[in-house]
Amino acid sequence: MGRSPCCCHDAGVKKGPWTEEEDRALVEHIQRRGGNVGSWRGLPKASGLNRCGKSCRLRWTNYLRPDIKRGNFTDDEERLIISLHAALGNKWSTIATHLEGRTDNEIKNYWNTHIRKKLLRAGVDPVTHQQLPPDHGHLDGTSSSATSLLPESLLWAAAAATLGVGLDAGALMQAQLLQQLLHAIGSNNDTANLIANLAAANAMLNSTSSTLPNLLLQGQMNMLSTGANYLQPGYLCNISSFAEQDVVQQRLNTTACPGTSSSSAAEQADQFGDTFVPRDVAPAVEEFAGLLEPMMDLPGLCSMESSDSFWKDILEDSYRF
DNA sequence: AAGGGAGCCAACCGCGTCCAT
DNA sequence: TATGGACGCGGTTGGCTCCCT
């Protein structure tokens, strides 16, 4: 399967920055064809451009396409990129499909020039998304308490290992969303981290690419609280509206004294009934439960008896909260 | 004002994959 | 099944701009 010589190697084919005339010629040509490019290889000749077809494709997809979003990345977009990168790695084109109007090249550049440095400053390895060793030179000399409280790398690695093969990116996003929520839950006494992680989770929920309705989150948390039973139910109440300011405040008040909640854990667990999962979304919740079912197999990945077992760590951390 | 370093980003390069034959 | 053309992707480069000295 030999690689065909690219037309870019032809003598006389123009390289480098595109001129306005070239842009106009490319756009007009594609518009004349009703947006249907056809063959990129044949495009330069058909449009009268002295460019390689590859170069034309790149110019169109990265710059001239009408649906490209201009301007700075929003905080929500940034968090979504980080979450997706944690789940997918350097799959820029896949990540780009989750951000409307953003190109893979743009995301890749933004990652390399902004996010990467930001993560390093926060003491997070931008490749593995794990906490860097304490002796790593943080620019601000601090580390994120939320990220250090939960065994996130284990959680995510196990979740990814379990979900990654059989499920699509939407399911992966849901697993990552769960991670964000666990972060939020784990960020006791750290309002900034709590809100940041809730916002990240909320951004994922509101993402146009999210494959599941927001309400399904309730099903997810219900399953986790009753099925896996590794988090105290009190923390999970009404989690879908968690990011609302008043609820955040309520959460902060509650977590200030975790043991002094007015209602018992059992009473709070009851709230996961019809109150929080309305009957009209029950079929959707069921569907989502099916998607997340592989996560229920997570304990099987490592022994409960093992001293470094995954679930044991989770349990210990959750009870500490 | 000028020079140099750093940051940014559009564009290029080459490999992997898909698909038609 | 093998082959080769075409496309798409991720890594890299190079030139422009900004900022600092």
Side-chain angles (χ1 to χ4, degrees), chain A residues 148-151 188 232 235 258 313-321:
Chain A
S148 60
L149 282 173
L150 283 168
N188 279 357
Q232 294 172 44
Y235 288 129
D313 286 346
I314 293 271
L315 281 163
E316 281 175 4
D317 280 323
S318 65
Y319 287 131
R320 199 180 327 135
F321 303 138

Side-chain angles (χ1 to χ4, degrees), chain A residues 87-165:
Chain A
L88 303 164
N90 291 1
K91 301 286 178 192
W92 304 118
S93 59
T94 311
I95 292 172
T97 62
H98 293 275
L99 284 102
E100 201 177 356
R102 301 295 190 183
T103 69
D104 54 353
N105 205 37
E106 196 179 9
I107 293 169
K108 180 174 61 182
N109 282 333
Y110 188 70
W111 177 272
N112 288 328
T113 57
H114 293 93
I115 300 177
R116 208 175 154 276
K117 290 170 192 168
K118 231 178 196 178
L119 290 176
L120 284 170
R121 271 200 299 272
V124 176
D125 187 325
V127 177
T128 63
H129 291 259
Q130 291 180 15
Q131 200 77 27
L132 286 163
D135 58 345
H136 171 77
H138 298 158
L139 295 183
D140 58 2
T142 62
S143 67
S144 158
S145 63
T147 52
S148 60
L149 282 173
L150 283 168
E152 70 162 331
S153 55
L154 283 175
L155 168 62
W156 182 240
T162 311
L163 296 170
V165 177

Side-chain angles (χ1 to χ4, degrees), chain A residues 1-70:
Chain A
M1 220 174 290
R3 194 175 130 255
S4 63
C6 178
C7 56
C8 301
H9 297 294
D10 293 352
V13 171
K14 194 181 169 201
K15 291 183 183 179
W18 281 63
T19 64
E20 277 182 36
E21 289 73 29
E22 287 175 317
D23 281 348
R24 206 176 308 120
L26 180 58
V27 170
E28 282 174 4
H29 175 79
I30 292 173
Q31 281 176 347
R32 269 200 304 275
R33 297 175 59 96
N36 178 26
V37 175
S39 163
W40 283 113
R41 199 167 173 96
L43 185 144
K45 199 176 176 184
S47 62
L49 281 162
N50 185 27
R51 288 274 183 176
C52 167
K54 214 170 179 178
S55 178
C56 294
R57 180 175 58 81
L58 215 60
R59 184 64 179 170
W60 174 256
T61 55
N62 286 340
Y63 198 82
L64 298 173
R65 236 174 50 202
D67 57 333
I68 285 180
K69 193 170 165 183
R70 298 272 166 224

Side-chain angles (χ1 to χ4, degrees), chain A residues 221-234:
Chain A
M221 302 318 290
N222 190 19
M223 284 176 58
L224 288 167
S225 63
T226 57
N229 194 28
Y230 66 79
L231 289 168
Q232 294 172 44

